[in-house]
Each structure stands twice: as C-alpha cells, then as structure tokens.
Amino acid sequence: MRTVSMEGELVSLRPLRLEDAGALGAVLRDGRVTRMLPPRVRRETGVDFVRRALDAHREGRGRAFAIRPRGAPTPIGQVRLFAWDRGERHAELGYWLRRKDWGRGYGTEAVRLACRYGFATMSLNRVEARVVAGNLRSAGALERVGFHREGLLRRSARLGRGWADEWMYGLLRGELRRGRSGPSGHRAPRLRRSET
Ligand SMILES: CC(C)(COP(=O)(O)OP(=O)(O)OC[C@H]1O[C@@H](n2cnc3c(N)ncnc32)[C@H](O)[C@@H]1OP(=O)(O)O)[C@@H](O)C(=O)NCCC(=O)NCCS
C-alpha cells in the first residue's frame, strides 16, 4: 500500500520513522501529555512507542504519522490509526502533541488529515476514538472535524490508581468536515503521495 505524506494549513504529516523516537520520547516524558493516555503509552520510551507503531504498520494493523508544524523539521507529536479491522473497515485513532504546542489548532488538523487518509487510502467506513471523560481539548478536536459522541464507556480506562469513564466517539465515511472557513480557517489538506 502506498503511504502518503500530507500537508495541511498548519501541520504536515509523514509516516513515522525510527529517527522520530528521540523527539517523541521527550514528549512522552511529560506527564501533562500522558496523563490521560493508556498506561502502556505512559510507560513507553520513544523507541518502544515507535517500534510498536512500525510493527503495526508492517503487520497491516495500523498506520502512524509524525506531526510537524509546516516547514519545521522536528516532530512535535504523532497521530495514528490502530486496531485496524480490514473486514469491518474500522480503526481507532490515537494522538498526542508536546505541551507547548497545544491550543494552536495543530491537534484538530492532524486528526482531520489522519481521518481523511483513513477513509481515502485505508478504505475505512468508520474511525473511532476513546477519550477519557473530561478531556475537553481532545473531545473538542474530534467534534470540530465531525466526530459524534456516541456513548459512555463506564470505568473503561485505568487512570492513576483508579478507573475513569471514557467517551466513545465515532466518525463515519462522509461525515468528515473540511477545514474552518474564515481568516483563521484550515483549508482542505493537500495529499502528496510517496512510496514507503
Ligand atoms: C488532544 C490534543 C492532541 C489536542 O491538540 P491541540 O492542538 O491542543 O488542539 P487544538 O488547538 O486543535 O484544539 C482542539 C479543541 O480543544 C478545545 N480547547 C482548546 N483549548 C481548550 C481549553 N483550555 N479547555 C477546553 N477545551 C479547549 C477547543 O474546542 C478546540 O477546538 P476549537 O477548534 O473548537 O477551538 C493535545 O491537547 C494533546 O496532546 N493532549 C494530551 C494527549 C491527549 O489527551 N491525547 C488524546 C487522547 S484521547
């Protein structure tokens, strides 16, 4: 399968590589970023995380992308489609960014680009995301691109020493919203194809 690099208005995505482990490892060491992520990710080094994502790619279970602000060389986070079920044509979305770049629209655009890739290239019918209830930034990014909050998964996430509820989000083919209109808008992304 061809893997694409994608350019949006604010960020570009390209397939994750082992060289990204250092930059992503620094992000994973920040508890403010990992607080609401699954325990496995909270414990992982950058190398562990990237290796796991590359294994999933090789085995056809997912696709992972480094997020870079447009024109910047170094990744500031990642977005990936995992738990890819080719028969049912759905996959789950996961994403995180370094703290100092939150609130700039990068997360929303990365989610939009990854979903677009999922529908166009992976032929998905549905993308889903689980968000710890109360993670409003993450929920905001999903809702901005058209995800629906479909339900509440009770006590489904391990958080610290306890358990948290999660919001279940879903986005169907045809529901992905284009970028915002207006001066601060995100235009529809351009896809650039490259063999990997
Ligand atoms: C989730 C994450 C990727 C979002 O990326 P981001 O670049 O900060 O998000 P954006 O700037 O695109 O903002 C997304 C939405 O968050 C909301 N938001 C922004 N600041 C907020 C705040 N202080 N409080 C609540 N919501 C806020 C807004 O609804 C915004 O959408 P808008 O376009 O309607 O304004 C990023 O915050 C992150 O890495 N968080 C830690 C890891 C994580 O929680 N990952 C998701 C696991 S499900």
Side-chain angles (χ1 to χ4, degrees):
M1 175 192 273
R2 283 162 173 273
T3 304
V4 295
S5 296
M6 292 166 274
E7 279 192 25
E9 186 86 343
L10 305 171
V11 297
S12 58
L13 304 189
R14 63 147 171 76
L16 206 63
R17 311 198 275 249
L18 208 46
E19 306 91 88
D20 299 327
L24 295 187
V27 182
L28 284 175
R29 285 194 294 277
D30 183 344
R32 296 169 301 177
V33 174
T34 58
R35 202 165 61 88
M36 304 231 187
L37 300 180
R40 171 147 81 163
V41 181
R42 293 206 291 268
R43 287 193 300 265
E44 269 176 332
T45 64
V47 173
D48 296 335
F49 180 87
V50 174
R51 284 223 171 104
R52 187 158 62 85
L54 295 180
D55 286 348
H57 181 123
R58 227 180 351 261
E59 292 161 15
R61 291 180 284 108
R63 294 286 179 266
F65 299 93
I67 304 171
R68 293 174 301 162
R70 275 197 67 171
T74 311
I76 58 163
Q78 67 81 39
V79 59
R80 70 198 168 113
L81 288 152
F82 63 101
W84 180 10
D85 185 324
R86 289 167 184 256
E88 300 287 354
R89 291 170 58 189
H90 56 68
E92 195 169 335
L93 192 69
Y95 41 89
W96 37 264
L97 293 180
R98 71 180 178 198
R99 177 64 187 90
K100 73 175 198 185
D101 286 307
W102 291 4
R104 296 178 172 172
Y106 293 169
T108 301
E109 193 174 69
V111 165
R112 179 180 292 119
L113 290 166
C115 290
R116 187 174 161 184
Y117 176 87
F119 293 125
T121 308
M122 296 162 72
S123 301
L124 298 179
N125 189 43
R126 168 185 168 84
V127 176
E128 45 193 48
R130 294 161 70 135
V131 176
V132 170
N135 186 350
L136 297 178
R137 262 177 211 280
S138 180
L142 294 173
E143 287 171 15
R144 169 67 71 182
V145 310
F147 274 81
H148 292 250
R149 191 187 296 174
E150 298 174 332
L152 182 78
L153 306 172
R154 296 177 306 143
R155 302 282 180 264
S156 56
R158 182 131 224 169
L159 205 68
R161 289 173 183 224
W163 298 91
D165 298 340
E166 287 177 297
W167 291 324
M168 184 76 208
Y169 276 93
L171 179 76
L172 302 184
R173 171 180 283 278
E175 289 180 339
L176 182 64
R177 285 199 208 132
R178 294 168 73 94
R180 288 177 204 169
S181 53
S184 64
H186 313 168
R187 259 187 256 132
R190 281 186 289 129
L191 266 65
R192 206 178 50 229
R193 294 190 177 277
S194 61
E195 300 282 354
T196 53

